[in-house]
Amino acid sequence: MRKLLLLALVGLGAQLVDGSLGMAYGVTSTTLLLALNTSAASASATVHLAEIGTTLASGAAHWRFGNVDWRVVRRVGVPGAVGAFAGATFLASLSTEFAAPVMSLILLTLGLYVLLRFTVAGLPRDRVGLPLRKRFLGPLGLVAGFVDATGGGGWGPIGTPAILASGRLEPRRVIGSIDTSEFLVAVAASVGFLVGLGAENIDFGWVAALLIGGLIAAPIAAWLVRIVPPRVLGSAVGGVIILTNTRTLLLSDWVEAGPGLRYSLYLLIVVTWVAAIGWSVRQHRAEQAADPAPADDDTPTTERATTSR
């Protein structure tokens, strides 16, 4: 019962992150499951089965508020499902000793990306242009889906910034479309894990606990995003992912680092992490001073400038 409560809190925390950033539910929850000594394949399978419910609820909410571009959902979601099924069957075929450090390495890379993306650049919010093309969305979905299944997360961290950086879709529609299309990815990955692992190797009590925590957090995340700036939250979450997966790698058979090296690296990561959060706070305040528009206003800057208040 104690572990189920902890898993529910993991699901709640991961959904708070995902609902605020449009990414990182899988990365956050898989990282925490690995910290509980769950096998790599079982952790990813548990997260993706829970995501079937959380992404369905999230997609429905985004659709209700008009945040979904169904062409983007179709063009990125279908290839993403193919990539996710392939990634799930691949991960299920790896030995436990090999899979855990491989997943931690992928998660560490994604954590570095999230930390740098939000700390250094934030998310672009002022470039809306031409429609997105199939030749861009198809390969993006395929790669993001494969990484999402093998790494236990990655759909949002890869898909959301890539589409935002293209400047062809307003931010709220990017997040809504990526969250909605993730339902297809979660279903395909779950089927792949059920085929590769078998249902007997998946604890559905854990799945239910993660799902309940995520469903409770969904409305809270909508409120939290108005309180905590996404840039600051992204830096904070990136640091958690980096620290946790660095620890897993340093304790693995791949590295077997001594206590002195481990604690020195932990200290370096924490110092860098705190500095990154401080920088993000200062940058957010500077952006607020330069642009007095409300933080939750998704209207492009150029459009706001031409609209009388």
Side-chain angles (χ1 to χ4, degrees), residues 65-82:
F65 287 105
N67 295 338
V68 179
D69 185 321
W70 290 106
R71 289 175 300 177
V72 173
V73 171
R74 182 178 67 255
R75 291 175 180 177
V76 77
V78 173
V82 174

Side-chain angles (χ1 to χ4, degrees), residues 38-309:
T38 308
S39 72
S42 294
S44 188
T46 300
V47 169
H48 282 91
L49 282 165
E51 279 186 322
I52 292 176
T54 59
T55 56
L56 182 61
S58 179
H62 280 298
W63 167 73
R64 181 180 179 185
F65 287 105
N67 295 338
V68 179
D69 185 321
W70 290 106
R71 289 175 300 177
V72 173
V73 171
R74 182 178 67 255
R75 291 175 180 177
V76 77
V78 173
V82 174
F85 181 84
T89 52
F90 171 74
L91 181 62
S93 68
L94 296 179
S95 67
T96 302
E97 294 76 13
F98 185 75
V102 166
M103 179 178 282
S104 290
L105 187 61
I106 293 173
L107 290 168
L108 176 61
T109 302
L110 292 170
L112 285 167
Y113 181 83
V114 170
L115 179 70
L116 292 172
R117 179 74 189 188
F118 282 90
T119 302
V120 176
L123 288 176
R125 300 176 63 86
D126 59 353
R127 294 176 297 172
V128 179
L130 300 174
L132 292 157
R133 297 179 178 178
K134 289 181 182 179
R135 64 187 182 187
F136 167 69
L137 292 175
L140 174 65
L142 193 66
V143 172
F146 185 85
V147 172
D148 188 81
T150 54
W155 181 252
I158 293 175
T160 299
I163 297 178
L164 281 170
S166 72
R168 299 189 176 194
L169 197 64
E170 58 185 307
R172 68 182 182 88
R173 290 185 179 274
V174 173
I175 293 173
S177 300
I178 286 292
D179 278 1
T180 303
S181 60
E182 192 172 9
F183 172 74
L184 300 176
V185 174
V187 170
S190 297
V191 172
F193 282 119
L194 289 172
V195 170
L197 292 176
E200 65 275 7
N201 292 313
I202 299 173
D203 191 324
F204 288 93
W206 288 23
V207 174
L210 276 178
L211 176 59
I212 291 170
L215 292 177
I216 292 173
I220 302 174
W223 169 79
L224 182 66
V225 74
R226 297 174 178 269
I227 306 301
V228 181
R231 185 166 195 159
V232 177
L233 187 60
S235 298
V237 171
V240 172
I241 295 168
I242 292 169
L243 182 62
T244 306
N245 288 288
T246 297
R247 176 181 177 276
T248 301
L249 284 171
L250 291 177
L251 293 174
S252 70
D253 293 337
W254 285 14
V255 180
E256 294 184 340
L261 176 59
R262 290 204 310 271
Y263 291 116
S264 296
L265 284 175
Y266 298 158
L267 179 61
L268 178 61
I269 291 170
V270 170
V271 170
T272 304
W273 180 18
V274 172
I277 294 174
W279 172 262
S280 293
V281 170
R282 290 194 297 272
Q283 290 299 108
H284 172 69
R285 289 175 177 171
E287 290 168 358
Q288 279 190 317
D291 182 5
D296 60 344
D297 182 5
D298 283 320
T299 307
T301 302
T302 53
E303 187 175 324
R304 290 200 306 263
T306 58
T307 303
S308 61
R309 298 176 182 271

